[in-house]
Amino acid sequence: MFYLHQRAAEVETGIIGTPCCVNNPEKYNYTGNMNSDGQMMASSKPSYFIGKKEDIKAGRLVKSVCGRDVLVLYHQGEFYAMDVRCYHSGGPLHKGDIEEFDGRKCIVCPWHKYKITLAEGEGLYQAVDPFVKPLKPTWCSKGIKQRVHKVTESNGDLYLTLNDSSEAIDSDFYQTEKYRDTFMKEGMKK
């Protein structure tokens, strides 16, 4: 079988993956899309070791993976991952509360209270139809605004697979070098 694992030193530093991931195949863990002989199938995407399940179950984790800053969350028995800065103004989602709106689990940006679904990255808002009396607010979607990523577990180890869709998503704006540098200097302060 073709398994390549993250080096222990990278786990300790919290820096996983680099923009030159292609030149460093030892940073990949190919756990998906294998045929019955254990051979890698061409469509597999690389997954990156992000930590042990028991360590992340304690709450939240921010990792830099292949040049992208990602928030990994554990909530009600599920793991979620998304870009760490809010699509609206770059707010620090790792400091946001998790709440349920209209039956959907969301993270609430601490800066402007934008609600983002954990599973899909949809922006939610409340609206009223002024022509329907009595006025009754309903939850509506702005569409996908926050890039979400996939977390998988294998034998207690957690791996992140980046969403590499070529379609632009609003949160991509805050993954530029300018905002990443600002975040590392200001955003991670507790």
Side-chain angles (χ1 to χ4, degrees):
M1 292 203 194
F2 186 63
Y3 291 98
L4 298 171
H5 292 279
Q6 185 70 39
R7 292 192 303 256
E10 291 174 317
V11 174
E12 290 176 18
T13 63
I15 300 172
I16 298 179
T18 64
C20 57
C21 302
V22 175
N23 296 326
N24 298 304
E26 69 277 3
K27 296 182 184 199
Y28 296 128
N29 176 43
Y30 292 101
T31 57
N33 296 335
M34 289 189 180
N35 65 21
S36 60
D37 296 327
Q39 299 297 315
M40 205 51 209
M41 294 172 64
S43 64
S44 292
K45 296 179 182 179
S47 293
Y48 303 90
F49 176 79
I50 54 173
K52 292 290 203 181
K53 182 177 181 179
E54 64 269 9
D55 297 336
I56 298 174
K57 281 178 79 169
R60 303 165 189 216
L61 176 72
V62 176
K63 290 284 185 178
S64 180
V65 180
C66 248
R68 191 162 204 101
D69 296 329
V70 177
L71 168 63
V72 180
L73 301 160
Y74 180 77
H75 181 71
Q76 294 180 345
E78 302 269 338
F79 286 97
Y80 301 92
M82 63 178 52
D83 288 353
V84 73
R85 283 173 292 290
C86 178
Y87 71 90
H88 171 246
S89 288
L93 292 179
H94 66 287
K95 295 181 181 181
D97 293 328
I98 297 178
E99 298 180 32
E100 199 167 296
F101 299 96
D102 198 30
R104 300 175 76 186
K105 297 172 192 167
C106 297
I107 191 159
V108 179
C109 180
W111 284 2
H112 302 108
K113 307 305 178 204
Y114 276 58
K115 286 113 178 104
I116 304 164
T117 62
L118 294 177
E120 300 87 12
E122 274 184 275
L124 298 183
Y125 67 99
Q126 275 192 311
V128 294
D129 184 345
F131 301 108
V132 176
K133 303 293 183 204
L135 295 177
K136 182 182 175 189
T138 58
W139 286 100
C140 301
S141 173
K142 298 177 185 179
I144 304 297
K145 298 293 186 177
Q146 195 77 20
R147 190 173 295 270
V148 295
H149 310 282
K150 183 178 177 182
V151 179
T152 54
E153 189 248 333
S154 176
N155 299 322
D157 292 337
L158 293 178
Y159 297 91
L160 181 79
T161 304
L162 293 174
N163 173 344
D164 62 356
S165 168
S166 61
E167 184 178 328
I169 297 175
D170 292 11
S171 66
D172 294 343
F173 181 77
Y174 295 100
Q175 289 293 336
T176 63
E177 191 173 325
K178 172 185 174 183
Y179 290 100
R180 290 186 81 233
D181 290 345
T182 300
F183 178 74
M184 293 308 286
K185 290 176 187 168
E186 301 296 328
M188 292 298 287
K189 292 180 183 175
K190 298 217 179 199

